[in-house]
């Protein structure tokens, strides 16, 4: 098992690798969404396994931002200044993982909070619009259920109107149909 220094060194190497790959976030065009989300998730995972908790929180916020960009809830151009700052700060913090101290924690928590404010500024994702096929399926389901309820209500009306005291088993069957 790795000691604390070994874990820190492992984390520093892993984080540096993921951050090099995540530099595509900073390019002239928006990156392809799923691969960036996977890289951000891998960075968070490396931090969870061997990095400081404060770094993990910042990496988690970066992952959240990449998901928002992928889902078009947050514009890449709008997020780019914060992404550049976050990338540089995460690189700087990962490089000093072997000598992590309270200053590192403060810097990582501050970065996490700044990224969180960007996440909070994003509008909520739009509700998915039903497709024509799903709309037709819903209509079919509602029509079938409405017909079943109408049939049960008709049977209940006939049972009540036809006898002064309808048989209990017939009323139970009608009740189950209506439920």
């Amino acid at each position: 098992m790795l000691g604390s220094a070994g874990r820190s060194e492992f984390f520093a190497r892993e984080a540096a690798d993921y951050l090099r790959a995540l530099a595509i976030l900073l390019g002239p065009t928006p990156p392809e969404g799923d691969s960036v989300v996977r890289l951000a998730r891998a960075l968070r995972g490396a931090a969870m396994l061997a990095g400081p908790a404060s770094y993990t929180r910042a990496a988690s916020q970066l992952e959240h931002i990449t998901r928002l960009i992928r889902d078009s809830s947050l514009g890449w151009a709008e997020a780019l200044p914060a992404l550049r700052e976050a990338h540089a700060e995460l690189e700087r913090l990962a490089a000093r993982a072997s000598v992590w101290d309270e200053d590192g924690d403060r810097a990582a928590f501050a970065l996490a909070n700044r990224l969180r404010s960007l996440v909070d500024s994003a509008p909520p994702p739009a509700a998915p619009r039903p497709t024509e096929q799903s709309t037709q399926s819903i209509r079919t389901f509602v029509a079938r259920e409405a017909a079943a309820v109408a049939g049960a209500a008709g049977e209940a009306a006939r049972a009540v109107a036809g006898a002064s005291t309808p048989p209990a088993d017939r009323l139970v069957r009608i009740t189950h149909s209506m439920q």
Side-chain angles (χ1 to χ4, degrees):
M1 178 160 201
L2 293 175
S4 180
R7 281 178 38 143
S8 297
E9 189 60 35
F10 167 79
F11 166 69
R13 282 194 310 267
E14 282 287 297
D17 288 346
Y18 291 127
L19 287 165
R20 266 191 298 282
L22 278 167
I24 62 173
L25 279 170
L26 313 175
T29 59
E32 189 274 315
D34 287 334
S35 64
V36 166
V37 172
R38 279 192 296 276
L39 287 168
R41 184 177 304 123
L43 175 64
R44 179 185 50 84
M48 287 178 70
L49 289 173
S54 55
Y55 193 99
T56 302
R57 185 176 293 171
S60 178
Q61 292 303 318
L62 179 68
E63 178 188 2
H64 197 153
I65 289 170
T66 61
R67 280 194 312 256
L68 290 171
I69 292 170
R70 177 198 63 195
D71 299 340
S72 300
S73 295
L74 179 64
W76 172 77
E78 174 189 343
L80 190 55
L83 290 172
R84 284 188 175 131
E85 176 200 352
H87 189 270
E89 183 72 2
L90 288 169
E91 281 184 325
R92 185 183 73 74
L93 291 170
R96 46 183 297 220
S98 61
V99 292
W100 198 263
D101 57 8
E102 287 182 18
D103 289 339
D105 278 334
R106 275 193 290 277
F109 281 132
L111 175 60
N113 290 334
R114 288 191 304 275
L115 293 175
R116 179 67 190 184
S117 68
L118 180 62
V119 166
D120 291 342
S121 73
R129 297 183 57 95
T131 63
E132 182 58 36
Q133 182 181 3
S134 67
T135 302
Q136 186 59 40
S137 298
I138 291 168
R139 287 180 183 152
T140 302
F141 173 78
V142 169
R144 186 176 48 241
E145 293 302 309
V149 168
E155 189 176 338
R158 284 189 296 279
V160 170
S164 59
T165 55
D169 65 327
R170 189 170 180 191
L171 290 177
V172 168
R173 193 176 60 235
I174 293 168
T175 303
H176 286 289
S177 294
M178 293 184 80
Q179 290 173 341

